[in-house]
Amino acid sequence: MTMRRLIRALEPRTARSFAQMVAYIVWPLAVMVAVQRVWWSLADPTPGRFLALYDASFRFLNPHTAFASGESALSPGAIILTAPWAVLDPDQARWVQLSLSVLTLLGAWVLLLRLLQIPMWSVLAPVFLLVGFHCGPVTDTLLTGDLGAFVVLALVTWLYLTVKGHQVAAGVALGAVVALMPIFAALLVVPLLQRRWRESVLAAVIACAATALVWARLGGGDGLGISALGGTAAAADRSFFALAEYLHIPTVGTVAIAVVIAVVAIAAVALAYSRQRGNEVLFLITAGGALVLACCLLAPVGHGNYSIALLPLVGSVVLAGSAVRVWPAWLAIYAFGSEQNWYSTHFGGFGEHIEVLRVPAGWLLLLATICAVLTAAAPRTRAGAAEGADSK
């Protein structure tokens, strides 16, 4: 009996010692991974996708100049955000963009920790930093000059301000998300479910105002796109429609599956509202993540680096009741979040198929997993509530 008491007394100290040891290991690894990603991105100071972004911003400042390529098509928010950089030459603008991207990613990391109530001295803080800079979407953002860092900062800022009850400021942040990534307009539904209609209306007005400004400045829609992440033709298409075409699925089947994807996303949001509305952070992250997954899949064009907007959903694994606390979710996260590729000289065709399919397949699997986990958990939650009421 004395030995049991001794073991129980030592357990908290052992756990703290283990956490400290892990923190000592992970902090230098996280810092060096972040530094290496920045160093790696400097190997090509002006990559093609950044030049496309620079061209669109330059044209916004100089609307009467010739506009050469549709590769420069960007979202209204992206054009307005990057317009000040176009007064510099491309090399200088790239340095500004890269510096701001790193600072923005660090800001998003700090805000996400605060949103999830993780203290900076926790072992999870360096783990989040390491995973964030090591994942494929963040690496791609830094290497190619995308604006993914600004998208994820706007998204986390919206979540944080909503939880804190700052409805107007949250509406501005959500408007920035939609202006940068119009395909994420479905996120406007989330505040409506919480009866925060002013937040949704303000966000919609900001996004429409940005579109109108760019439209008027450019004299039409030429040059406007759906993405802040490199334009509509800058990377391989990973949307479900591209997947269906790759797999030679008939048109009727493609439309039917697309409808199923939309229904599953709506069901996931409804289940999240039913089960998690008592935990606002978990509801916002889960519902927002399900909508982002559906938008990535059902957009006219989807890129693998859209997955950067799923970082809050991935981080929600630390919350009790999270829908990503199951192994299929992490198989899906590995599929779309890894920077590794599966091309092989020995298994060329098979490796190419895996590489083409892994991102949309990961999105599909994660969306289905979220819906399945919420479906399975909802009856238990209602039963538990009923038992609690009876006991009273």
Side-chain angles (χ1 to χ4, degrees), residues 33-339:
V33 166
V35 170
Q36 191 275 336
R37 289 299 186 265
V38 177
W39 184 273
W40 192 6
S41 65
L42 296 176
D44 184 5
T46 52
R49 259 187 271 178
F50 174 77
L51 289 177
L53 182 151
Y54 181 87
D55 288 344
S57 303
F58 185 84
R59 189 194 178 216
F60 179 74
L61 295 182
N62 305 275
H64 302 297
T65 57
F67 190 53
S69 170
E71 291 281 341
S72 303
L74 287 170
S75 66
I79 293 175
I80 294 173
L81 174 66
T82 59
W85 308 345
V87 301
L88 306 172
D89 63 65
D91 288 339
Q92 292 175 336
R94 170 60 174 153
W95 278 97
V96 171
Q97 188 268 347
L98 179 59
S99 301
L100 291 177
S101 290
V102 173
L103 292 176
T104 301
L105 285 170
L106 293 176
W109 167 64
V110 172
L111 267 184
L112 184 58
L113 293 179
R114 296 189 65 177
L115 176 68
L116 300 175
Q117 297 184 349
I118 299 173
M120 191 63 68
W121 58 84
S122 168
V123 66
L124 291 175
V127 170
F128 273 49
L129 184 65
L130 174 63
V131 172
F133 274 92
H134 191 269
C135 71
V138 171
T139 299
D140 190 60
T141 288
L142 295 176
L143 290 180
T144 62
D146 283 338
L147 298 180
F150 299 91
V151 174
V152 73
L153 176 61
L155 184 62
V156 176
T157 301
W158 163 59
L159 295 170
Y160 181 78
L161 291 173
T162 299
V163 171
K164 293 301 180 180
H166 303 298
Q167 192 171 161
V168 174
V172 173
L174 181 56
V177 174
V178 179
L180 286 167
M181 293 290 292
I183 65 167
F184 291 165
L187 291 173
L188 295 172
V189 173
V190 177
L192 292 178
L193 291 174
Q194 298 179 297
R195 297 178 177 84
R196 294 174 172 172
W197 60 268
R198 285 182 295 179
E199 186 175 322
S200 293
V201 171
L202 179 59
V205 168
I206 290 174
C208 292
T211 303
L213 174 62
V214 175
W215 187 285
R217 180 70 177 172
L218 298 180
D222 185 24
L224 281 178
I226 60 169
S227 170
L229 305 181
T232 56
D237 190 355
R238 305 295 188 188
S239 70
F240 166 72
F241 299 105
L243 174 66
E245 183 178 356
Y246 182 81
L247 296 176
H248 304 290
I249 299 176
T251 303
V252 175
T254 300
V255 173
I257 298 174
V259 170
V260 171
I261 292 173
V263 170
V264 170
I266 294 171
V269 173
L271 287 168
Y273 180 76
S274 172
R275 178 199 168 205
Q276 299 175 339
R277 58 181 170 179
N279 186 338
E280 188 175 20
V281 175
L282 191 58
F283 163 69
L284 285 170
I285 294 177
T286 305
L291 290 173
V292 167
L293 284 166
C295 292
C296 291
L297 286 164
L298 300 179
V301 177
H303 302 159
N305 47 13
Y306 289 7
S307 302
I308 196 170
L310 296 171
L311 286 177
L313 179 63
V314 175
S316 71
V317 69
V318 302
L319 301 177
S322 172
V324 297
R325 280 193 170 188
V326 290
W327 69 262
W330 286 90
L331 180 61
I333 292 167
Y334 174 83
F336 63 73
S338 172
E339 64 174 339

